[in-house]
Structures are given as structure tokens and as C-alpha cells.
Amino acid sequence: MARVLMVITRMSLGGAPKHVLSLASGLGKEHEVWIATGPEDRGEGSLLGRARSEARVEVVPGLRREVSPASDLMALVEIYRLVRSVGFDVVHTHTSKAGVLGRSAARAAGVPVVVHTFHGNVLEGYFGPAGSRFFLAVERAMARLTDVLVAVSRENLSYFVRRGVAPEGKFRLIYNGLEVDRFGRTEREDARRRLGLGEGPVVGTVAALVPMKGIEYLLEAMDIVRSEVGDVELVVAGGGRSEGRLRRRARELGLGVRFLGPREDVDVVLSAMDVFVLPSLSEGMGLSIMEAMASGLPVVATRVGGIPELVADGETGFLVPPRDPAAIAEAVS
């Protein structure tokens, strides 16, 4: 039995934390699994409770998403102490901040095997040009401390190889998995009754409400759809720092959008929809698309990252350019 530590910045309701939870559940059948993560952020929902049922969880107070030299140093020391005290055989890091701190601590503590998973194309769109160059240099340095790098899509893998993070031979392509039996079990009428929705067409999304998810373009698209199709409800499940701005924009457009906040019952929310839309500007794989497809929904999504490896354009959904409300509206209509 090996001792495995997974390090992630936050156990929110996003794709990477769900992936970590699934890994912990599977690995826990044969190994001793720990999860080190930062404090809860109720604005994005939390999987900490469920994580504690699958693994030993250590909350690292200094492990936060924002760059802060003092907090980051504190987190590095805390993770190092944890690794040294327990004696892990494998440290597997997820997300950018946790990847830097977790891999540094693991190597300093002499962990035999260090693995990192890239869940998105973090070097593009999140920072300005100078910031992107800095973090590219950081990822190249971190790759030298890592035994295996995991990419969640072919595009995800080639993205980091093209940018010289590491040679292709250091990567493994492992698509995200999904427990598909959890989805499609709730009848459409029952789901709509539970969410207080009417009988008309429902378009929806499940995403963190942050700029890179492109939800503002979906709002603009629904304004067009309404003028072409008529009364269509939009359901948005998720939380994040952009929620206030998105609510204001929906009011400006006169859209009756249901902002449901972070939801653990995503299977029920998806069962209430007729069309699922993910208008992301960048995406490693798109776990929410997998959840929508497992629910039997057609998907409208942007042609970014690994999404074209999931959606067969014109067969299981439609692929559109990012930042293009008119194209989203046409596909949804």
C-alpha cells in the first residue's frame, strides 16, 4: 500500500476538484490517500465534506489562488512539513499554484515520485504578456522537478510541448473520467419542478463564474436567441467573482436568467435543460460538457482546448468560435 498525497489549491465545485475527488475514491481502495488543499471559498461551493469521506484531508491556510509571497511561503513550509512527517511515496499536484508549491515541497522532502496534471492551458489569457512569460519560465522549471506530467486532452498536451514546458516523452495523455451512471436519472419534468422552471425551452450552463468561462458572451447570445425564437429560459449554475457583473448585465439586457449559484446536484440541473452551452475562452477538457453529454444533452461549445475532442461538430452538438455571441445564438437556435 502506497501513501499518496494530492495537492490542489481549492476543493471547489470545478472540474479539477471533481477529478481529484474521483481519483481519491478510486485510489483509496488500494492505497492510503491524503488531500492537501486551501481553505473553502463558499462563493464557488465546496467539495471538502465529500473529500473527507474519501481521503485524509489537510487544509493548508496559506494555500490560496492569488499570488502572495508571504502566504505562498507559509503554504510551502506547511506542505513540506506534512510531506516530511507522513512520508509519502507519491505526490500528485493539480492546478498551477498547488503545482508549484506541492512539487517544490515534495522534491525538497525527497518524495520518490512526483506527478503533475495540467487541467487547462494556464499560460494563455489569464495574465498579461509579461506574466505569461514569467509563468512559462516557472512551469519549465517545475517540469524538471516532475517525474510524469499528465495532460487531459491531446490539445492540452501539444499546447505545453509547443511552449517548451517539457518534451513529449515526459507527458502522459489521460482523459478525465466520469461516473456516467450518476447522470440522466431525473425526469425532465421532475427536475424542472424542483428548480421552479416552466415548460418552455431551457438553455443552460454549469461553470465557474470567472472571465475565462465567457458567460457574458452567452448572455449576449441569449438576447439574440430571444428575438429569433421567443421565450427561452437561461439557467446558470455556478459561483465566482464575476457573478455580480453578470447579474447586472443580464438585467441590462432584460433577460430572465436563473442564477442558481454553486450546485452539487448538477445531475438534476442538467436534466432540466434542453441545450447545454459552454462558451469558454480556454479549456483543458471541459468536464461539464462530459456531464451534459452523459445527461443526453446536445452541446454548444467554443472550439478551444480539448473541447473538439469531446463534441463531434454537427453530430453531438455544435462548435463555435470563442467571443462570438452571434455564432452561439445561431447554434442554440
Side-chain angles (χ1 to χ4, degrees):
M1 175 183 289
R3 286 179 173 172
V4 180
L5 172 66
M6 287 185 281
V7 188
I8 185 168
T9 307
R10 189 169 294 157
M11 285 299 293
S12 65
L13 294 178
K18 288 180 179 179
H19 178 70
V20 166
L21 190 64
S22 179
L23 281 179
S25 177
L27 287 170
K29 296 178 174 65
E30 299 181 14
H31 304 288
E32 181 182 335
V33 181
W34 294 54
I35 297 174
T37 186
E40 289 182 286
D41 182 349
R42 288 295 182 182
E44 295 184 16
S46 176
L47 291 172
L48 262 182
R50 286 172 57 188
R52 288 191 171 102
S53 68
E54 302 289 354
R56 175 81 173 266
V57 175
E58 289 288 327
V59 175
V60 179
L63 185 53
R64 301 179 183 277
R65 188 170 293 158
E66 302 77 16
V67 175
S68 168
S71 294
D72 295 345
L73 179 59
M74 182 174 67
L76 177 64
V77 172
E78 291 171 340
I79 297 169
Y80 173 80
R81 287 174 176 168
L82 173 64
V83 173
R84 287 283 291 178
S85 64
V86 176
F88 292 101
D89 302 290
V90 179
V91 168
H92 184 184
T93 60
H94 304 260
T95 64
S96 184
K97 171 70 79 66
V100 172
L101 300 179
R103 284 181 281 178
S104 299
R107 278 303 179 221
V111 173
V113 178
V114 177
V115 180
H116 177 69
T117 294
F118 290 107
H119 291 276
N121 300 342
V122 296
L123 304 175
E124 190 174 278
Y126 288 88
F127 318 101
S132 294
R133 287 194 297 271
F134 171 76
F135 285 107
L136 173 59
V138 169
E139 288 296 350
R140 286 171 175 170
M142 287 296 103
R144 290 193 288 271
L145 303 181
T146 313
D147 294 295
V148 177
L149 297 167
V150 178
V152 297
S153 68
R154 287 192 299 273
E155 173 55 30
N156 188 227
L157 190 158
S158 63
Y159 174 89
F160 289 104
V161 171
R162 290 195 305 269
R163 281 154 183 78
V165 170
E168 187 171 350
K170 199 161 194 174
F171 282 87
R172 302 293 183 272
L173 171 59
I174 307 176
Y175 287 106
N176 287 337
L178 186 71
E179 297 175 17
V180 295
D181 292 343
R182 291 180 47 234
F183 297 90
R185 297 182 302 180
T186 306
E187 292 294 330
R188 180 173 179 270
E189 292 74 16
D190 182 33
R192 291 189 171 205
R193 184 177 67 252
R194 290 159 69 172
L195 296 176
L197 297 171
E199 287 301 311
V202 173
V203 174
T205 191
V206 177
L209 302 187
V210 296
M212 289 306 292
K213 294 298 181 180
I215 305 301
E216 61 267 35
Y217 300 103
L218 174 57
L219 296 181
E220 303 288 343
M222 291 307 297
D223 187 38
I224 300 171
V225 170
R226 179 180 56 182
S227 66
E228 294 180 350
V229 178
D231 186 27
V232 180
E233 290 195 75
L234 175 62
V235 171
V236 178
R241 63 183 184 275
S242 297
E243 182 171 351
R245 177 174 58 82
L246 293 171
R247 285 180 176 272
R248 288 192 296 274
R249 184 56 182 149
R251 287 195 295 270
E252 290 170 359
L253 293 170
L255 296 174
V257 183
R258 296 290 188 97
F259 286 95
L260 301 179
R263 305 283 298 218
E264 289 196 46
D265 60 342
V266 169
D267 55 320
V268 175
V269 176
L270 290 169
S271 293
M273 298 178 189
D274 295 300
V275 177
F276 179 85
V277 184
L278 190 67
S280 293
L281 311 184
S282 176
E283 199 75 46
M285 186 65 182
L287 186 67
S288 61
I289 290 179
M290 297 170 66
E291 293 174 335
M293 297 176 84
S295 302
L297 289 174
V299 173
V300 174
T302 45
R303 191 180 282 103
V304 297
I307 290 177
E309 296 167 51
L310 283 173
V311 180
D313 191 25
E315 296 179 24
T316 59
F318 292 104
L319 297 175
V320 299
R323 298 182 175 89
D324 193 336
I328 296 172
E330 181 180 358
V332 168
S333 297

